[in-house]
Amino acid sequence: MSEAVRRTFPATAESLPGVRAFLRERAAGSGLTEATADDLLLAASEACANAVLHSGSDEFEVVWRDGPSAIEVEVRDRGTFRRRVRVASVEGPGGFGIPLMTALADRVEISEGTPADPGTRVRLTKRRSDAVRAPYE
Amino acid sequence: MSEAVRRTFPATAESLPGVRAFLRERAAGSGLTEATADDLLLAASEACANAVLHSGSDEFEVVWRDGPSAIEVEVRDRGTFRRRVRVASVEGPGGFGIPLMTALADRVEISEGTPADPGTRVRLTKRRSDAVRAPYE
Amino acid sequence: MHPGRIAPMLEIAPTDDPPGLRLVGEVDLDTVAELTAALEPHVQSGGEITLDMAGVRFMGSSGVQVLIRTLNSLGDRGRLVLTHPGGSVRRLLQVMGLDRFDNLEVRA
Amino acid sequence: MHPGRIAPMLEIAPTDDPPGLRLVGEVDLDTVAELTAALEPHVQSGGEITLDMAGVRFMGSSGVQVLIRTLNSLGDRGRLVLTHPGGSVRRLLQVMGLDRFDNLEVRA
Ligand SMILES: Nc1ncnc2c1ncn2[C@@H]1O[C@H](COP(=O)(O)OP(=O)(O)O)[C@@H](O)[C@H]1O
Ligand SMILES: Nc1ncnc2c1ncn2[C@@H]1O[C@H](COP(=O)(O)OP(=O)(O)O)[C@@H](O)[C@H]1O
């Protein structure tokens, strides 16, 4: 991985369009197929939405890393990971963010901030050549 | 991380008690608190259940790595990751495995097998000293 | 667009024939409140609601949550028809298996 | 236990007072079918079902799915009472926020 490009955003919902503009701009210059870029954009957008909704941080950072065989997007905040599982029967539909990241990226890594060691880091990797998309069944 | 201990299991539901016996045995010698060991056991058990349910592999491998500051359990199969998100309103309750891993481990990494490059690898890390557990709210 | 300024991220226009909404922009955290509000009267009255998705270039999980809540509230009192979704919305719907909702129809 | 042999992983015994089941062992993929079957008549008849969890040393997400399905089916026709859950089951219930089901009660 080379060529890391970083951008910091305020942790508000209004930042998300700007995050996507940033990611679209990077993707355009990266030679990704549109489908691959779309998957990465959605996965990364979910990670950023989580930083906004759950981290309690004032800001979050997005890092784009362009590699020969894969693209990595990292989203970092300074908060504590909220350890819970959403159950639809109690809370209504939701809890789709991390499952979407997992379904869309080829590799997902979540390092969770704790009270003693704050800062959640989500790394999403997409291979350049995943011509074959496993279908939904 | 040192001292990797590996064990291979047939990818059937009947293997899961044996997986847990293996993990309990390792945890007992590792000096983890009971609560930390329980969290890791549940997270790892979910990863193994997924290898059984979704990977299509005949077997899966469980690796225990004991490190000075953290314990890592890795679950590897030889299958293709099924890219989908469960929606309770359509499929009923479910899709709790990866969310549970995320809620219970301190670090979760999922590298997904594809048709072109099969083999899903789930790595779950638990810090040794997470005295402070973030509460459910 | 002016540099440093961001256009309104979701335009929601009511349509009469078919009854529903035309959406243009991005459906996400910052715009779902408006979408929920615009859907509300349709959910109340039930029947078929058509969302013209041709102009939606992004939808995130908070948008999907609104769709699912709408489908759940409608139950068998109504249905949602999504027309002309672009590639990224189609991908989202497919990964989430939303085609299996009885009261959702997706029309190319 | 004999080396190389694995004891039955979940024993399910009916209890009369209170009406319900006493579970001993592990509730997971390989044992949920039995648990579902044992719960079935109670779900049919409704009322209060008590599960004595003191002997459950492990429960995974497939066990939780059975509990949630049971709670959903019971609705306001009945409730589930879990008695004496050990540390790992309590942790699971807490992380999943199951205490917020109206018809579930957990008793230490
Ligand atoms: N950046 C983060 N900081 C703190 N907690 C997080 C973060 N990302 C995710 N979480 C926790 O993980 C849960 C699941 O996240 P997700 O799957 O995206 O669903 P949702 O955001 O709809 O709850 C969140 O509800 C939250 O408790
Ligand atoms: N080892 C695996 N191999 C293939 N697909 C997997 C694997 N683990 C998880 N998945 C996919 O991820 C989805 C979500 O997994 P999980 O959160 O554990 O919920 P559940 O197993 O209840 O569906 C699964 O339904 C499956 O499509």
Side-chain angles (χ1 to χ4, degrees), chain D residues 1-72:
Chain D
M1 220 184 301
H2 308 276
R5 250 189 74 202
I6 292 189
M9 274 302 147
L10 183 65
E11 284 170 38
I12 305 177
T15 54
D16 282 335
D17 181 23
L21 306 169
R22 179 165 37 244
L23 308 178
V24 179
E26 306 194 346
V27 184
D28 202 12
L29 225 50
D30 51 325
T31 56
V32 281
E34 283 94 322
L35 178 58
T36 301
L39 281 168
E40 188 52 30
H42 293 275
V43 172
Q44 295 279 342
S45 53
E48 188 168 293
I49 313 167
T50 300
L51 299 184
D52 182 341
M53 305 290 285
V56 176
R57 64 167 175 174
F58 180 86
M59 181 158 72
S61 71
S62 41
V64 170
Q65 284 184 43
V66 173
L67 296 186
I68 296 175
R69 252 183 259 119
T70 302
L71 292 164
N72 288 344

Side-chain angles (χ1 to χ4, degrees), chain C:
Chain C
M1 218 183 302
H2 307 276
R5 251 189 73 202
I6 292 188
M9 274 302 147
L10 183 65
E11 283 170 38
I12 306 177
T15 55
D16 282 336
D17 183 23
L21 305 169
R22 178 164 39 243
L23 307 179
V24 179
E26 306 194 345
V27 184
D28 202 13
L29 223 51
D30 52 325
T31 56
V32 280
E34 283 93 324
L35 178 58
T36 301
L39 281 167
E40 188 51 30
H42 293 276
V43 172
Q44 295 279 340
S45 53
E48 188 169 293
I49 312 167
T50 300
L51 299 184
D52 182 340
M53 305 290 286
V56 176
R57 65 168 175 174
F58 180 86
M59 182 158 71
S61 71
S62 41
V64 171
Q65 284 183 41
V66 173
L67 296 185
I68 296 176
R69 253 184 258 120
T70 302
L71 292 164
N72 289 343
S73 309
L74 282 172
D76 44 23
R77 289 186 309 108
R79 53 205 298 272
L80 213 48
V81 180
L82 305 186
T83 59
H84 317 303
S88 81
V89 172
R90 280 205 308 276
R91 171 69 165 161
L92 177 65
L93 299 174
Q94 170 229 10
V95 159
M96 304 205 51
L98 292 199
D99 50 313
R100 290 176 304 159
F101 268 89
D102 287 336
N103 56 352
L104 177 71
E105 187 186 334
V106 180
R107 277 187 212 147

Side-chain angles (χ1 to χ4, degrees), chain A residues 50-51 54-55 77 80-82 84 86 94-99 120, chain C residues 65:
Chain A
N50 280 349
H54 307 299
S55 76
D77 62 48
T80 296
F81 195 86
R82 287 166 63 186
R84 58 159 189 160
R86 276 183 73 139
F96 301 134
I98 293 170
T120 294
Chain C
Q65 284 183 41

Side-chain angles (χ1 to χ4, degrees), chain B residues 56-67:
Chain B
S57 298
D58 291 337
E59 24 177 69
F60 63 91
E61 186 186 41
V62 180
V63 187
W64 174 280
R65 287 190 189 88
D66 219 311

